[in-house]
Amino acid sequence: MSRTLPVSKNDYIDVVFEDLTHDGAGVAKVDGYPLFVEGGLPGEQAKIKVIKVNKSYGIGRLIEIYQKSPYRVDIPSSEKNKYGGCQLEHISYEGQLKYKENQVRQVLTRIGKLENVTVHQIIGMDDPWYYRNKAQVPIGEKDGKLIAGFFKPRSHEIVDTEESLIQLPEVNEAVQAVKEICTELEISAYDEESHKGVLRHIMARYGKRTGELMVVLITRTADFPDQKELVEKIVERLPKVKSIVHNVNSKRTNVILGEKTKVLWGNEVIYDYIGDVKFAISALSFYQVNPVQTKVLYDKALEYAELTGEERVIDAYCGIGTISLFLAQKAKKVFGVEIVPEAIEDARRNAELNGIANVEFAVGEAEAVIPRWYKEGNAADVLVVDPPRKGCDEALLKTIMDMKPKKVVYVSCNPATLARDLRILEDGGYTTLEVQPVDMFPHTTHVECCVLLVKK
Ligand code: SAH
């Protein structure tokens, strides 16, 4: 079989990179056979070593770059301040934005078969550093000390990180402090292999506008020693902390959060603002991680919804009601639906907190609840969806096509599933008018889009 391939394992070859994959690797072709090489940039000539050959593609390692891309920059982080997942850190911010916009265009054409849709220039950040309001770091042990950071790519080895260049300083500080305190108290790190030890993850979340910090300790065991001292030390070292939460995850799993959650100290939630709307955020709830760009994204969703005060709006996958409450300011009534019960509790509390009365929230699967509402005669004029990476459930798309809202605003964190769903909606009577990519996650390959569809 390998005889028919143009390259063999361990070959050293010269290539020119033509493109980037959706996870940021360079793509070079030899007689049409694609090779994926981490670190290669379009336009660059390089020597690579072929390290793996599959039937339809190969993997290479970058050996030497003969001619560098104008978008290549020196990697700003070292091991100490690195954060896992910054796949684009070798590309200038300008280059990253170009790549992301391009990726959206390509995917919409290739998967969505959308030829004439307007894709606007991506909205990037003025300052694309220290933006994340949340960290969730795995804990390990080295030389008798706890370490916290990220997994080395394709391994289970944790790299100890002192500072992440993409997290807010308060978040970095919180992770460091809790790591040191737990070391002082000799709390052991969880070990995946033996399923022993205590501390699995430290999570920190910070309300940028309110200055409120939440610390979540995720442990294997429900009990662990010195809880009182731990709390005292955290409160003393981190004056911004308003909530310390303990989450127990006793399972052998790589899912981070477990089922049992208990407040160890302070409030159950912290608060933050997006625009003028105040939000209570609990440990288990989804909350956008880039507060600056979230405002940009939600403003766009509101603009596309073009509300006059007369509309009934459904916000599917509403989380803690962030988009719902934003829309409620301009709509007649908003109905939010979300699968996580705690998030809906937060959503209701958030409506009350802001004195917003024209919203109603329901717990359940969007694909089950919305068809039920529709059967009961509750159709919407405007439907907003903001699904997780896997996109909308087919049953939901079908209900949209039956219910025929005038407008659909699709907020997406995954261009591939977005394109798939847009195709279905196009075939079912909708036209995709505008796509606005927003860079919510600088230096990573992720790209968010806000899309307007109207009934044909
Ligand atoms: N719109 C919110 C949340 C978006 S994230 C915001 O901007 O903050 C996607 C949300 O969908 C998560 O809160 C997740 O819990 C929820 N979710 C996942 N699958 C779902 C389903 N089948 N039905 C309803 N909600 C779901």
Side-chain angles (χ1 to χ4, degrees), residues 286 288 298 317-319 322-323 338-340 364-367 386-388:
F286 174 88
Q288 292 283 1
Y298 290 179
Y317 310 92
C318 71
T322 33
I323 297 180
E338 156 67 45
I339 204 165
V340 176
E365 290 174 334
E367 59 272 23
D386 182 8

